Amino acid sequence: MTEYRILLPQRDLPKSWYNVIPDLPAPPSPPLNPGTGQPANPSDLAAIFPQALIEQEVSASPSLPIPEPVLEVLRLWRPTPLHRAYRLEKALGTPAKIFYKNEGVSPAGSHKPNTSVPQAYYNQRAGVKRLSTETGAGQWGSALALACNIFGMQCMVYMVKCSYFQKPHRRTMMECWGAKCIPSPSDQTEAGRNVLAEDPECTGSLGIAISEAVEDAVTHKDTNYSLGSVLNHVLLHQTVIGQEALAQMKLAGAMPDIVVGCCGGGSNFAGLAFPFVPLKASGKNIRLIGVEPTACPTMTKGVYAYDFGDKSGMTPLLKMDTLGHDFVPAGIHAGGLRYHGMAPLVSLLHREGVVEAVSYPQLKCFEAAVTFSRAEGIIVAPETSHAVACVIDEAWKAKEEGKERTILFNLSGHGHFDMAAYEKYFAGELSDYAYPEEKVKEALAHLPKVS
Ligand SMILES: Cc1ncc(COP(=O)(O)O)c(C=O)c1O
């Protein structure tokens, strides 16, 4: 019998998160206070984050225990299945062995609940009543709505305007879990009103929505802010994916030569790839590839510099690959990949040559997603289609070179709320966006000056 899915029993759900920081080839650069330009104190973050998450953000422990109430919720869908893509391999006629971790099986449909659940838990334990956040494609907003509902908290979501109208049912999903979701830029915050005054037609960006959500948290006493990617603690929470994948690959008697994930802020890629970093460091020849859109080529065309995480400069400065905090990417359907920066830990590993980065245009990604759905059955999110496009290219290369390579990728989410995007693709109404060189140049000219 062909084993299409490699499953772990529920008792094998990882009990701790893997922290990559002690395994980095160079020390991470500290976040800076935007006012003083000095390393940020934990107290600088206390206005918007609970103490437990601030401690995780800076922890140097190799692993951190997952609290039992968090495990209890994760067990609703974890461990997630590892699939062997036999049918895709056959369709491509490749000698490559392709595996994927299916994070689309979570209640919200993506990897995002892996961090929304612990974030809601730690906030609730700290007495916080309400969380504010931004969302691109709606995956993160719905994941936080789900987690807030589980822990009896209110949830306020600022959703990037172009995605809000592309994916109306994501908003309904958030409402099912009791959250409130409005399009960003909105007139509810000063940050949003400033953007609208400059450009009433602005389609929004993750950087703008983050400004609105942070302002919401700072101006409401009962509210904290929650971020769905980029920060160290978010990447940490996602490492359950890679730890499970390692155990499942062992069960399958295989080890990846190539690990692939799409990159918005870097969390699903890091979640899968980071647990492989020690193996790579010990000499195993594993390529870790992050895939981004050509419309928002943060690692492939950005600079490695201190920048704000948001549009209006409210967050601490992070040393990261960035296109400039006021860069507004074109309205591609992979809304979750429209972020100007990359997680500092992923950026550092990229700059140190541990992580490779590639970029793909929208049409090629949809073509790959359709090939995948016709072979494997699963319709992936537009974000995930970037990983699929890269995997298919690597499988072709293996065929050309006659190599039996093993490829593992993260199927970060399903695309059931993205039918409008697929519809446009089939109608020939989607286009690629060239690398926005002038816009990036302009945005990079506004990087904050750091001595
Ligand atoms: C399905 C899916 N994959 C990937 C991403 C990109 O985020 P990250 O790079 O943090 O994994 C998103 C973001 O919304 C998403 O919804």
Side-chain angles (χ1 to χ4, degrees), residues 110-112 137 139-140 228-229 262-269 336-337 381 383-384 412-413:
S110 78
H111 63 296
K112 297 283 180 182
Q139 293 267 22
W140 167 241
S229 190
C262 66
C263 283
S267 75
N268 87 85
F269 168 70
L337 306 187
E383 290 80 5
T384 313
S412 56

Short mmCIF file of all heavy atoms in Angstrom, two decimals, residues 110-112 137 139-140 228-229 262-269 336-337 381 383-384 412-413, ligand 1:
data_model
loop_
_atom_site.label_atom_id
_atom_site.label_comp_id
_atom_site.label_asym_id
_atom_site.label_seq_id
_atom_site.Cartn_x
_atom_site.Cartn_y
_atom_site.Cartn_z
N SER A 110 -4.47 27.77 8.03
CA SER A 110 -3.05 28.04 7.78
C SER A 110 -2.22 27.75 9.02
O SER A 110 -2.75 27.32 10.05
CB SER A 110 -2.84 29.51 7.38
OG SER A 110 -2.87 30.33 8.54
N HIS A 111 -0.91 28.05 8.92
CA HIS A 111 0.01 27.87 10.05
C HIS A 111 -0.19 28.90 11.15
O HIS A 111 0.33 28.76 12.24
CB HIS A 111 1.46 27.98 9.53
CG HIS A 111 1.79 29.33 8.96
ND1 HIS A 111 1.17 29.84 7.83
CD2 HIS A 111 2.64 30.31 9.37
CE1 HIS A 111 1.64 31.04 7.57
NE2 HIS A 111 2.53 31.36 8.48
N LYS A 112 -0.94 29.96 10.86
CA LYS A 112 -0.98 31.11 11.79
C LYS A 112 -1.49 30.77 13.21
O LYS A 112 -1.00 31.36 14.17
CB LYS A 112 -1.80 32.25 11.18
CG LYS A 112 -1.22 32.82 9.87
CD LYS A 112 -0.04 33.74 10.12
CE LYS A 112 0.53 34.29 8.81
NZ LYS A 112 1.70 35.15 9.00
N ALA A 137 -3.92 38.92 3.97
CA ALA A 137 -4.92 38.13 3.26
C ALA A 137 -6.07 37.71 4.16
O ALA A 137 -7.06 37.18 3.69
CB ALA A 137 -4.24 36.89 2.70
N GLN A 139 -5.64 35.60 6.76
CA GLN A 139 -5.29 34.34 7.44
C GLN A 139 -4.90 34.63 8.89
O GLN A 139 -5.34 33.93 9.81
CB GLN A 139 -4.13 33.65 6.74
CG GLN A 139 -4.45 33.13 5.36
CD GLN A 139 -4.91 31.68 5.38
OE1 GLN A 139 -5.36 31.18 6.39
NE2 GLN A 139 -4.82 31.02 4.24
N TRP A 140 -4.07 35.64 9.09
CA TRP A 140 -3.62 35.94 10.45
C TRP A 140 -4.79 36.49 11.29
O TRP A 140 -4.98 36.09 12.43
CB TRP A 140 -2.44 36.92 10.45
CG TRP A 140 -2.17 37.47 11.83
CD1 TRP A 140 -2.23 38.77 12.21
CD2 TRP A 140 -1.82 36.74 13.01
NE1 TRP A 140 -1.95 38.90 13.55
CE2 TRP A 140 -1.69 37.66 14.07
CE3 TRP A 140 -1.61 35.38 13.29
CZ2 TRP A 140 -1.36 37.28 15.36
CZ3 TRP A 140 -1.29 35.00 14.59
CH2 TRP A 140 -1.17 35.95 15.61
N GLY A 228 1.54 38.75 13.69
CA GLY A 228 1.43 37.39 13.15
C GLY A 228 2.68 36.86 12.50
O GLY A 228 2.70 35.74 11.98
N SER A 229 3.76 37.66 12.48
CA SER A 229 4.99 37.21 11.82
C SER A 229 6.17 38.05 12.32
O SER A 229 6.01 38.78 13.31
CB SER A 229 4.83 37.33 10.29
OG SER A 229 5.90 36.68 9.64
N CYS A 262 7.32 29.79 1.52
CA CYS A 262 7.11 31.14 1.03
C CYS A 262 7.41 32.12 2.16
O CYS A 262 7.36 31.75 3.34
CB CYS A 262 5.69 31.31 0.50
SG CYS A 262 4.41 31.18 1.77
N CYS A 263 7.74 33.36 1.79
CA CYS A 263 8.13 34.33 2.81
C CYS A 263 7.34 35.63 2.70
O CYS A 263 7.43 36.34 1.69
CB CYS A 263 9.61 34.66 2.67
SG CYS A 263 10.68 33.39 3.31
N GLY A 264 6.56 35.92 3.73
CA GLY A 264 5.93 37.23 3.87
C GLY A 264 6.75 37.98 4.90
O GLY A 264 7.65 38.76 4.59
N GLY A 265 6.48 37.67 6.17
CA GLY A 265 7.34 38.16 7.24
C GLY A 265 8.34 37.09 7.66
O GLY A 265 9.21 37.33 8.48
N GLY A 266 8.18 35.87 7.14
CA GLY A 266 9.18 34.82 7.35
C GLY A 266 8.78 33.72 8.32
O GLY A 266 9.58 32.82 8.57
N SER A 267 7.54 33.73 8.86
CA SER A 267 7.28 32.81 9.97
C SER A 267 7.01 31.37 9.55
O SER A 267 7.44 30.44 10.25
CB SER A 267 6.14 33.33 10.86
OG SER A 267 4.89 33.17 10.26
N ASN A 268 6.30 31.13 8.44
CA ASN A 268 6.05 29.71 8.09
C ASN A 268 7.33 29.08 7.56
O ASN A 268 7.63 27.92 7.84
CB ASN A 268 4.88 29.56 7.11
CG ASN A 268 5.27 29.68 5.66
OD1 ASN A 268 5.69 28.71 5.04
ND2 ASN A 268 5.18 30.88 5.11
N PHE A 269 8.11 29.89 6.83
CA PHE A 269 9.41 29.39 6.34
C PHE A 269 10.31 29.04 7.52
O PHE A 269 10.89 27.95 7.59
CB PHE A 269 10.07 30.46 5.44
CG PHE A 269 11.49 30.16 5.13
CD1 PHE A 269 11.84 29.10 4.30
CD2 PHE A 269 12.52 30.90 5.71
CE1 PHE A 269 13.17 28.80 4.04
CE2 PHE A 269 13.85 30.61 5.45
CZ PHE A 269 14.17 29.56 4.61
N GLY A 336 -0.64 38.14 2.02
CA GLY A 336 0.22 37.87 3.18
C GLY A 336 1.70 38.02 2.86
O GLY A 336 2.53 37.93 3.77
N LEU A 337 2.04 38.20 1.58
CA LEU A 337 3.46 38.37 1.23
C LEU A 337 3.78 39.84 0.92
O LEU A 337 4.89 40.15 0.49
CB LEU A 337 3.83 37.49 0.02
CG LEU A 337 3.52 35.98 0.12
CD1 LEU A 337 4.12 35.24 -1.07
CD2 LEU A 337 4.04 35.37 1.42
N ALA A 381 -3.26 28.35 -0.89
CA ALA A 381 -3.38 29.80 -0.81
C ALA A 381 -2.42 30.45 -1.80
O ALA A 381 -1.36 29.87 -2.10
CB ALA A 381 -3.05 30.25 0.61
N GLU A 383 -0.33 32.70 -1.31
CA GLU A 383 0.98 32.83 -0.68
C GLU A 383 1.77 31.53 -0.88
O GLU A 383 2.92 31.51 -1.32
CB GLU A 383 0.84 33.10 0.83
CG GLU A 383 0.29 34.46 1.21
CD GLU A 383 -1.22 34.54 1.09
OE1 GLU A 383 -1.86 33.50 0.82
OE2 GLU A 383 -1.76 35.65 1.25
N THR A 384 1.10 30.42 -0.55
CA THR A 384 1.74 29.10 -0.63
C THR A 384 2.16 28.77 -2.06
O THR A 384 3.13 28.03 -2.28
CB THR A 384 0.76 28.03 -0.11
OG1 THR A 384 0.20 28.49 1.12
CG2 THR A 384 1.41 26.69 0.08
N SER A 412 1.62 26.17 3.53
CA SER A 412 1.29 27.05 4.66
C SER A 412 -0.20 27.31 4.81
O SER A 412 -0.64 27.70 5.90
CB SER A 412 2.06 28.36 4.54
OG SER A 412 1.80 28.98 3.30
N GLY A 413 -0.98 27.13 3.75
CA GLY A 413 -2.42 27.34 3.91
C GLY A 413 -3.20 26.92 2.69
O GLY A 413 -2.67 26.87 1.58
C1 LIG B 1 -1.13 30.95 3.86
C2 LIG B 1 -0.05 31.93 4.20
N1 LIG B 1 1.22 31.58 3.94
C3 LIG B 1 2.23 32.43 4.19
C4 LIG B 1 2.00 33.69 4.71
C5 LIG B 1 3.16 34.61 4.91
O1 LIG B 1 3.46 34.88 6.22
P1 LIG B 1 4.76 34.32 6.90
O2 LIG B 1 5.90 34.68 6.01
O3 LIG B 1 4.84 34.97 8.22
O4 LIG B 1 4.58 32.86 7.01
C6 LIG B 1 0.71 34.09 5.01
C7 LIG B 1 0.45 35.40 5.60
O5 LIG B 1 -0.64 35.84 5.78
C8 LIG B 1 -0.35 33.18 4.75
O6 LIG B 1 -1.61 33.51 5.00
#
